[in-house]
C-alpha cells in the first residue's frame, strides 16, 4: 500500500522560510511525477508546483514563482519544497502527491497518490 508522508510545516513570520519534505513508501519514486498542492480554509485545493520524474522539468503557480523551489532526490525517495519570502496568503495545508503522468502544468486530476498534508501558517 502506497503511503505518502509530508513534513516540515509550521508557523513562520511573513518574510521567513520553510522547507517541506515528502517521502513515499511502496512507490518506485523515479517513475512518478510529483507535486505540491495546497488548500486554504474555504478554498479549493490548488497546484503549487510539480516536477517531472527525472527532475529536469518543473512548473510553478504564478503566485509562488521566484519564491518557491521544488526539487527531488530520487535516491532518497524524497521530494522538497523550499519556500522563501513567505506571505500570509501562503497559509494553507500543503499536500504532496504522485502522478504517473507529466504535463507542463500541474493538473490536479492526474495525481493518484496523496499524503495527509502538513500545515503551513504565515503570520503577518
Amino acid at each position: 500500500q502506497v503511503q505518502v508522508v509530508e513534513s516540515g510545516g509550521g508557523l513562520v513570520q511573513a518574510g521567513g522560510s520553510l522547507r517541506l519534505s515528502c517521502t513515499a513508501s511502496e512507490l518506485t519514486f523515479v517513475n512518478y511525477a510529483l507535486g505540491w498542492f495546497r488548500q486554504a480554509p474555504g478554498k479549493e485545493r490548488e497546484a503549487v508546483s510539480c516536477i517531472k520524474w527525472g527532475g529536469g522539468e518543473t512548473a510553478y503557480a504564478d503566485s509562488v514563482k521566484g519564491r518557491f523551489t521544488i526539487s527531488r532526490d530520487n535516491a532518497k525517495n524524497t521530494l522538497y519544497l523550499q519556500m522563501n519570502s513567505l506571505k500570509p496568503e501562503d497559509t494553507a495545508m500543503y499536500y504532496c502527491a504522485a502522478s504517473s503522468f507529466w504535463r507542463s502544468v500541474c493538473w490536479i486530476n492526474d495525481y493518484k497518490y496523496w499524503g495527509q498534508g502538513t500545515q503551513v501558517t504565515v503570520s503577518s
Side-chain angles (χ1 to χ4, degrees):
Q1 182 177 349
V2 174
Q3 189 172 14
V4 179
V5 179
E6 304 94 338
S7 61
L11 173 64
V12 64
Q13 288 188 331
S17 298
L18 283 174
R19 188 176 82 155
L20 305 183
S21 299
C22 169
T23 61
S25 61
E26 304 300 326
L27 190 77
T28 306
F29 214 66
V30 70
N31 291 343
Y32 288 82
L34 301 169
W36 288 101
F37 300 81
R38 67 186 181 187
Q39 187 167 19
K43 294 187 177 182
E44 291 187 356
R45 192 171 297 188
E46 63 176 4
V48 175
S49 181
C50 51
I51 186 167
K52 199 174 182 180
W53 26 82
E57 293 185 48
T58 59
Y60 293 91
D62 288 343
S63 59
V64 306
K65 280 182 182 176
R67 299 189 298 123
F68 291 10
T69 303
I70 192 170
S71 62
R72 62 191 294 167
D73 186 336
N74 289 335
K76 295 182 178 179
N77 269 23
T78 304
L79 174 72
Y80 303 100
L81 185 68
Q82 179 67 44
M83 305 186 296
N84 299 329
S85 303
L86 282 161
K87 304 176 181 180
E89 51 264 43
D90 294 318
T91 295
M93 185 71 79
Y94 282 70
Y95 298 90
C96 170
S99 168
S100 54
F101 301 101
W102 169 255
R103 301 177 196 258
S104 57
V105 294
C106 311
W107 184 243
I108 193 168
N109 290 342
D110 284 345
Y111 287 76
K112 179 178 180 180
Y113 301 108
W114 290 83
Q116 294 299 306
T118 185
Q119 178 67 39
V120 171
T121 303
V122 184
S123 63
S124 58

